[in-house]
Structures are given as structure tokens and as C-alpha cells.
Amino acid sequence: MAVPAALQAALANARQVCVLTGAGVSAESGVPTFREAGTGLWAQYSPHELATPEAFARDPALVWRWYRWRRDLVAGVEPNPGHRALARLAELVPSLALVTQNVDGLHQRAGSSGVIEYHGNLFGNRCFENGCDFSEADPPTGTAADPASGIPLCPRCGGMLRPGVVWFGEPIPSRTLRLADDAAAACDLFFSIGTSALVWPAAGLAEIAARRGATVIEINRETTDLSGRAACRLQGKSGEILPELVNCLARNRQHSL
Ligand code: OAD
């Protein structure tokens, strides 16, 4: 794929880049996406039975079994060239904010730092019953479990712990929301990568960026709700397109030294 000249120029001149990633970025690592027909998680499982506070209250053991399966799946895969290219991009541009809807931690494992985890982290735990504040490092977080159900218990109150992700019907934590909104508002180049751009408020970040005059670029295998409004679309796999894009920027940087 040849990187369009206009995109090369936008990248070379960008002062602040904001990247929003979605499940498609981890697809080439072997992590299922959500909405793709047949293979997407929400094509096989009901979010209403597994990813709402009501579902957890109804059957916490079922919800935990599903999240443990996802934890095991993610623990067994590796970051792909797309994740690694984004970590390298941060070293090539003056400033980069990486906002991810993914809960798999693969950006961090690829070397990205300061990642804004919009929907939380699969490996985190939160107190479901009393919202207790505790450090993940405090023993015995997640080790003490109810003997009958295997549900991990809060180190503070002894109530049930839940996975540290944002579920349907729950707000994004206010600090995360602010960091992401600020990054989108401050950037001059915004990338939406591997996301169906259907889930709000994450889908609104591209709008915030565009309203402030940023150039919006989409990288996706398919067209999405955002495609018609993006200044440039690169259609294909992020694990192939991102390394090319970043190599192209690195080459141009060397030439201009
Ligand atoms: P989706 O499953 O909705 O969309 C995945 C997108 O990735 C689709 O547009 C695919 O075309 C694209 N895609 C697949 N493979 C790709 C590849 N190799 N390279 C580039 N693009 C590819 O996933 P998200 O948009 O991330 O929320 O979903 C958003 C949120 O909905 C998730 O964070 C999750 C889910 O419910 C929560 O769990 C709170």
C-alpha cells in the first residue's frame, strides 16, 4: 500500500497526534472483535447476560467464568506489528495520545506508555458491592475467593470483586473521559483504527477532533459510520498498514535531517 502524499505531509507536520483504537487492532493477535458477523464476541454471546451490572448481580459466577476465559485468551497472545508500530510512532512525533477501547493491555505490552484505557482493563478488579478503594497491589486482592463459587473477594470489605472493565449502561470514569476529550480537542491529526465507531462516547472523539480542525484518518478493513466523514481512509489490516505508515514517516524524517 502506498501511503497517500497528503497523509505523509499531515504526519510529517503533526504537532499532536491522537489515536483511538478498537478491537480490530488486536484481531491479528488472535483476540476476537465484538461486532463482526460470525466471529465477533457479541455475535456469539449476549452482552446483556455478561457485560452489565445487572447480569453480574444475577449470576456473578457465570460472568467471572466468561472474563476468566477472556483473561486466559489474552494472556496467551502477543502484540502484533500494528501495536508495535503505534509504540514506535510515539517516538517519531512530538506528542501522541493513545486512547484505546481495548481492555487487553496489548498496547502496553508492545511498549506504549500513558495509554488511556477508555473501557478499563480486563486484568483489573473492582469492588462490586461497596466500591471500595484499594490498590491492586494490596494482598490479597483477587486471591481470596469464595470457596463455593470461586468469586474473588474485596480485600477491604470481603464483598464480591468484579472485572475492572466498563460495562453497558455504565459511565466512563470522569478522569478518563476528560483525558480523552482533551487529547482529541488538542490534536491536529486524529486516527480512528480498527473500531466500528458505533460505541459512544468513544465514537464522539473523532467529532471533537474534527470540530477543532484536526485531520481525521480512518484505518479499517471495512467501512464504518465514520468513513464518510474521514479526510482519508486506509482500507486493510492495521497490522499491515501501520508499520508501512510508520516506516514511511521514519524514512522521511531521515531524509529531512
Ligand atoms: P467492533 O467489533 O465493534 O469493531 C471492530 C472493527 O475492527 C470493525 O470495524 C472491523 O472492520 C475492524 N477490523 C477487524 N479486523 C481488523 C484489522 N485487522 N485491521 C483493521 N481493522 C479491523 O469493536 P470496537 O469498535 O472496538 O466495549 O467495539 C467498541 C466497544 O464495543 C468495545 O470496546 C466493547 C464493545 O462492546 C465494552 O466492552 C465496554
Side-chain angles (χ1 to χ4, degrees), residues 23-232:
V25 167
S26 294
E28 288 157 80
S29 292
V31 182
T33 59
F34 290 94
R35 289 178 184 75
E36 288 179 282
T39 58
L41 287 176
W42 298 150
Q44 302 171 67
Y45 302 96
S46 160
H48 304 291
E49 284 167 26
L50 297 164
T52 66
E54 294 77 22
F56 187 79
R58 225 170 19 244
D59 194 345
L62 171 75
V63 172
W64 264 115
R65 273 201 301 282
W66 192 67
Y67 277 93
R68 285 205 178 99
W69 168 73
R70 286 182 63 198
R71 283 182 176 184
D72 288 348
L73 190 154
V74 166
V77 306
E78 297 297 329
N80 66 54
H83 296 110
R84 287 195 287 275
L86 285 174
R88 189 163 166 234
L89 181 61
E91 293 165 8
L92 293 171
V93 295
S95 161
L96 181 139
L98 177 52
V99 184
T100 187
Q101 296 166 92
N102 300 342
V103 296
D104 54 30
L106 288 175
H107 284 303
Q108 292 90 326
R109 280 169 59 192
S112 287
S113 57
V115 180
I116 302 170
E117 293 186 301
Y118 209 75
H119 290 158
N121 190 295
L122 192 52
F123 297 93
N125 292 319
R126 278 164 50 193
C127 175
F128 179 72
E129 313 215 11
N130 296 305
C132 297
D133 200 11
F134 62 84
S135 153
E136 290 283 338
D138 278 351
T141 302
T143 52
D146 179 73
S149 62
I151 294 166
L153 302 176
C154 175
R156 285 277 159 87
C157 70
M160 287 188 293
L161 289 178
R162 55 163 281 181
V165 299
V166 175
W167 280 329
F168 286 97
E170 294 188 315
I172 307 296
S174 55
R175 182 172 176 275
T176 306
L177 207 56
R178 201 179 55 249
L179 284 172
D181 281 0
D182 288 353
C187 74
D188 44 14
L189 189 56
F190 183 94
F191 285 91
S192 176
I193 309 176
T195 173
S196 55
L198 287 172
V199 175
W200 290 74
L205 292 171
E207 307 300 329
I208 294 176
R211 271 204 305 274
R212 294 295 193 99
T215 304
V216 175
I217 314 289
E218 181 177 62
I219 300 175
N220 200 303
R221 272 189 3 195
E222 314 285 345
T223 51
T224 73
D225 272 19
L226 177 68
S227 302
R229 284 166 289 138
C232 170

